[in-house]
Amino acid sequence: GENVEQHPSTLSVQEGDSAVIKCTYSDSASNYFPWYKQELGKRPQLIIDIRSNVGEKKDQRIAVTLNKTAKHFSLHITETQPEDSAVYFCAASNEGNYQLIWGAGTKLIIKP
Amino acid sequence: SAVISQKPSRDICQRGTSLTIQCQVDSQVTMMFWYRQQPGQSLTLIATANQGSEATYESGFVIDKFPISRPNLTFSTLTVSNMSPEDSSIYLCSVLQGEKLFFGSGTQLSVL
């Protein structure tokens, strides 16, 4: 079955620097890749998603890139701010199968 | 996105008892799901709540332990039965809108 690996498990960056979180998936049929942000004690929130017919998608300071050949996708956060501190989860699913397969999560720490 | 209300937000229960968690959505949705998130862990799908039929459970979860109701397209309940300390976790309902998954605010359950 599908497996999603996420790295790193913890990422500490200086405020203002960029952060990159990477995920690798195993099922070549996967075609939908969302990213969720979960602040401490809160629900996971969808922050950006990408479909496999697109290589990159951007929304202000966050972007997601997808490499279908290598079967990996990445979340990029530029000009990091304290409010970016959270756990980030990647996930994957394929058309016709609504179930998301989740990565293990990355704890992002923004150092002042 | 749908507004998803979940209650209770937290509870402390004695072992051997049961707790029913409610999930109310402000619009009709076909797909509703129940997840468990143990401290510091990723999201684990418990079951898909099907309107008008029995829930579909994932491997490792059984109906006797986690009975689910889905009486209509806006409401579902998850019961955690005969609780033990190992059931201490956050329980999240979620709904699918298009291909996007949105979460309720979660129920933090502690079992003593």
Side-chain angles (χ1 to χ4, degrees), chain A:
Chain A
E2 171 72 289
N3 183 50
V4 175
E5 293 190 359
Q6 183 172 348
H7 299 280
S9 56
T10 304
L11 178 60
S12 185
V13 302
Q14 206 70 38
E15 182 179 348
D17 288 350
S18 295
V20 181
I21 302 169
K22 298 179 181 178
C23 288
T24 304
Y25 60 98
S26 60
D27 187 353
S28 56
S30 293
N31 62 359
Y32 176 64
F33 308 93
W35 285 90
Y36 286 80
K37 175 184 180 182
Q38 187 175 30
E39 296 176 75
L40 191 64
K42 302 216 173 154
R43 74 188 82 190
Q45 290 199 302
L46 178 66
I47 56 171
I48 196 167
D49 56 6
I50 193 169
R51 291 194 63 85
S52 59
N53 57 347
V54 175
E56 182 175 0
K57 184 176 179 180
K58 217 173 171 184
D59 183 2
Q60 298 182 342
R61 293 188 299 108
I62 61 172
V64 55
T65 59
L66 171 65
N67 183 326
K68 284 191 296 182
T69 303
K71 291 192 281 189
H72 66 70
F73 56 111
S74 300
L75 178 70
H76 304 254
I77 306 174
T78 58
E79 300 172 19
T80 53
Q81 300 169 5
E83 54 265 36
D84 295 328
S85 293
V87 178
Y88 291 81
F89 293 99
C90 65
S93 69
N94 64 52
E95 193 164 7
N97 181 354
Y98 49 79
Q99 289 188 16
L100 291 174
I101 306 300
W102 296 85
T106 297
K107 183 175 183 179
L108 177 61
I109 300 165
I110 307 301
K111 296 181 289 187

Side-chain angles (χ1 to χ4, degrees), chain B:
Chain B
S1 63
V3 175
I4 308 165
S5 304
Q6 191 174 332
K7 57 181 182 181
S9 57
R10 61 180 65 231
D11 208 340
I12 300 172
C13 300
Q14 297 297 318
R15 70 171 66 208
T17 63
S18 298
L19 176 72
T20 295
I21 303 167
Q22 297 181 3
C23 182
Q24 179 75 53
V25 189
D26 69 343
S27 58
Q28 293 187 338
V29 292
T30 304
M31 306 296 294
M32 288 181 76
F33 308 91
W34 287 97
Y35 279 86
R36 183 172 74 184
Q37 186 177 32
Q38 296 188 306
Q41 302 294 311
S42 188
L43 297 145
T44 301
L45 182 63
I46 298 171
T48 302
N50 302 308
Q51 194 265 331
S53 64
E54 274 195 9
T56 305
Y57 290 84
E58 297 302 305
S59 176
F61 298 97
V62 294
I63 187 171
D64 290 347
K65 176 67 176 177
F66 298 101
I68 287 170
S69 78
R70 179 87 195 270
N72 56 52
L73 292 175
T74 64
F75 187 77
S76 178
T77 66
L78 168 76
T79 299
V80 186
S81 303
N82 188 24
M83 288 185 284
S84 66
E86 293 71 37
D87 295 320
S88 297
S89 191
I90 297 172
Y91 293 84
L92 294 148
C93 70
S94 63
V95 304
L96 198 67
Q97 287 196 307
E99 62 192 354
K100 300 179 191 290
L101 192 69
F102 298 99
F103 288 89
S105 51
T107 297
Q108 185 167 348
L109 172 62
S110 298
V111 184
L112 304 178

